[in-house]
Amino acid sequence: MYGNRERIKKNKPIILDMKKNIPSQIRNNLLQWYWKNDRNLPWRQTKDPYRVWISEVMLQQTRIEAVIPYFMRFIERFPDLKSLAESDLQSVLKLWEGLGYYARARNMLKAAKIICDQYQGRLPETRDELLLLPGVGEYISAAVAGISFHIPVAVIDGNVKRILARLFADPTPINDTSAKRHFESHAEKLLDRENPGDYNQAVMELGQMICKPRNPVCTDCPIQQYCEAFKKKRIPQYPQKISKKSIPLKQMIYAMILKDGKYLLLKRPANGLLGGLWEIPGGELHQKTRLKKQLADIVLSQTGIRIEVKRKLGIFSHAYTHFKLDAIVYLCGCKSGEICLNGPAEHRWILPEEIPHYPCHKLIHKMVPMLHEAAAKWVRAL
Ligand code: SF4
């Protein structure tokens, strides 16, 4: 006896939901489409809760194509929960480097240790218990619960809200926090309770492949006949959003402090933005004058050493979700003082070729070729 998924895969006629109400037809169409078209992604080869959890954490705010190589490397290095729980933050951050939103990696490691200590090394099987783990919010708990434990909970994220807003031509702004329950009730009505994992993945797949933020491919959409925005020819009007304030720009200044061919690297404190990652000394500029003096003061306060600020090396920019950074980098020499950290968690004097051993954030990665060049010039000048 085949289930509908097997029928689709084996090109056999599927057994349709005979109730013929609109939600059941939408979910039938979605599931049929997904079972025919789902991409062969590495985390879809299994329902193993550990791998599903890792993939869902990585997929938060990140494109599938970007996640695939990270997921493969991560699973190779940490094939099970025990190996992750026994690891350390630096190793996890190194594997996560470049994926962004580093709190995800820190929380994942904390959660792995808790699961080993309190749940005998197995992910808890109820949504309430999943929600107690660091970094596991409503979306990840719903996804893991549905895919691995067959618990019927609808996932909700930006993709899902966009589809629902278009499907029902719903003018509720999708980025209004008070609208979350509203979209949840739409999603719960459509959820397939017999196949919650596949259904949730089908909706996500539709949002990524067909009902994309711009230029949705309505001609290929399995639920086009039910889509109110499509019928009314008003797709560009959905989803609606409350306009947000512009993203603030922070002006940063950094010091490449060279000593004996090595430069100084500082580790950010474990908690907070980019926690546990390494960077060269520096901080936010508060005025646009006397830059060298401000940089020397920042370095003195962070490290206890007095520097000579020599020349500007370059300007770099990077955009995060909630702010943008413009950074000026200066080449500096060490004048006096011993390292006495105030803020950073650790320091190292490193050779340029050692930088790959240290997990750094994206802005620092952008600087690395220039840091290498400056260090090489310093050596040539000896
Ligand atoms: Fe999205 Fe177009 Fe499908 Fe409507 S018909 S759900 S707008 S892809």
Side-chain angles (χ1 to χ4, degrees):
M1 189 73 177
Y2 298 120
N4 277 341
R5 179 178 191 138
E6 286 67 36
R7 287 177 177 277
I8 293 282
K9 295 273 184 204
K10 291 176 188 295
N11 281 328
K12 292 188 177 294
I14 73 147
I15 299 166
L16 277 174
D17 186 325
M18 297 308 286
K19 290 181 199 151
K20 293 287 180 198
N21 60 40
I22 298 291
S24 73
Q25 289 174 17
I26 291 174
R27 77 177 70 99
N28 269 333
N29 285 15
L30 263 174
L31 278 171
Q32 287 177 51
W33 170 80
Y34 177 67
W35 288 335
K36 269 189 199 156
N37 297 289
D38 64 333
R39 285 171 289 171
N40 192 19
L41 300 172
W43 47 88
R44 289 203 185 139
Q45 313 307 316
T46 174
K47 296 201 183 306
D48 170 25
Y50 170 70
R51 292 181 184 215
V52 172
W53 169 51
I54 301 288
S55 69
E56 291 299 338
V57 174
M58 287 186 169
L59 287 165
Q60 294 280 292
Q61 320 266 12
T62 312
R63 288 179 306 108
I64 285 179
E65 295 72 26
V67 166
I68 292 171
Y70 280 91
F71 178 83
M72 303 296 278
R73 282 196 295 270
F74 200 93
I75 291 299
E76 194 180 334
R77 173 78 174 72
F78 303 121
D80 50 33
L81 211 135
K82 186 166 177 284
S83 56
L84 175 58
E86 288 172 352
S87 180
D88 58 85
L89 183 58
Q90 289 300 285
S91 310
V92 175
L93 285 175
K94 192 65 206 163
L95 277 175
W96 205 271
E97 196 176 26
L99 202 54
Y101 300 98
Y102 294 91
R104 296 182 296 178
R106 293 194 297 274
N107 283 329
M108 187 188 272
L109 182 59
K110 279 186 212 160
K113 290 180 190 296
I114 292 171
I115 295 164
C116 273
D117 288 348
Q118 298 178 18
Y119 297 94
Q120 293 78 49
R122 297 165 64 92
L123 254 89
E125 296 190 12
T126 70
R127 190 166 182 225
D128 287 347
E129 286 174 305
L130 285 167
L131 278 166
L132 292 175
L133 298 171
V136 177
E138 298 207 5
Y139 177 85
I140 293 178
S141 62
V144 175
I147 296 168
S148 296
F149 304 126
H150 215 67
I151 298 172
V153 194
V155 295
I156 286 279
D157 75 345
N159 269 317
V160 179
K161 285 191 275 188
R162 180 176 66 250
I163 295 168
L164 294 171
R166 287 171 175 167
L167 186 60
F168 297 110
D170 189 326
T172 311
I174 59 166
N175 58 344
D176 185 348
T177 43
S178 64
K180 189 165 167 291
R181 297 285 160 220
H182 173 77
F183 284 104
E184 267 173 8
S185 82
H186 278 324
E188 286 294 332
K189 277 181 214 142
L190 293 180
L191 176 69
D192 188 302
R193 290 174 186 278
E194 285 176 23
N195 301 285
D198 281 0
Y199 174 82
N200 282 332
Q201 292 189 90
V203 180
M204 297 305 293
E205 188 85 343
L206 187 78
Q208 285 149 4
M209 303 300 292
I210 305 285
C211 195
K212 297 187 266 193
R214 291 198 194 101
N215 305 322
V217 193
C218 301
T219 44
D220 293 345
C221 178
I223 54 173
Q224 183 211 80
Q225 69 204 92
Y226 307 106
C227 178
E228 291 299 320
F230 180 82
K231 284 192 236 172
K232 292 174 180 165
K233 298 192 173 29
R234 288 194 181 156
I235 292 166
Q237 289 172 29
Y238 301 97
Q240 297 199 4
K241 290 186 180 175
I242 299 169
S243 57
K244 290 206 163 164
K245 288 185 222 150
S246 59
I247 298 175
L249 174 69
K250 292 186 186 185
Q251 190 72 60
M252 307 295 290
I253 189 161
Y254 286 98
M256 183 202 189
I257 307 171
L258 266 173
K259 192 171 90 172
D260 302 329
K262 296 183 174 181
Y263 64 91
L264 183 59
L265 214 54
L266 302 176
K267 185 178 172 187
R268 294 176 68 93
N271 295 319
L273 182 72
L274 307 173
L277 296 175
W278 293 79
E279 61 186 7
I280 55 176
E284 191 171 354
L285 271 177
H286 294 292
Q287 55 193 33
K288 291 190 175 171
T289 56
R290 308 184 70 205
L291 300 188
K292 291 183 175 182
K293 166 84 170 63
Q294 284 188 73
L295 180 57
D297 288 348
I298 290 170
V299 172
L300 180 62
S301 149
Q302 271 181 338
T303 67
I305 57 171
R306 294 183 188 283
I307 56 168
E308 181 191 353
V309 182
K310 295 182 185 228
R311 63 183 170 84
K312 195 193 308 183
L313 285 175
I315 297 177
F316 298 85
S317 298
H318 190 66
Y320 292 95
T321 316
H322 301 297
F323 58 91
K324 294 180 197 164
L325 296 180
D326 272 354
I328 310 171
V329 186
Y330 280 90
L331 179 67
C332 305
C334 201
K335 273 204 312 203
S336 62
E338 294 292 319
I339 295 282
C340 175
L341 297 178
N342 173 26
E346 287 180 47
H347 81 281
R348 295 274 192 288
W349 290 98
I350 66 157
L351 290 166
E353 60 269 26
E354 291 171 333
I355 189 80
H357 301 306
Y358 295 85
C360 299
H361 54 87
K362 280 247 174 87
L363 186 64
I364 300 300
H365 274 286
K366 288 183 177 175
M367 296 175 190
V368 163
M370 181 205 66
L371 299 180
H372 279 210
E373 195 184 319
K377 270 189 194 158
W378 187 90
V379 170
R380 282 200 298 272
L382 284 179

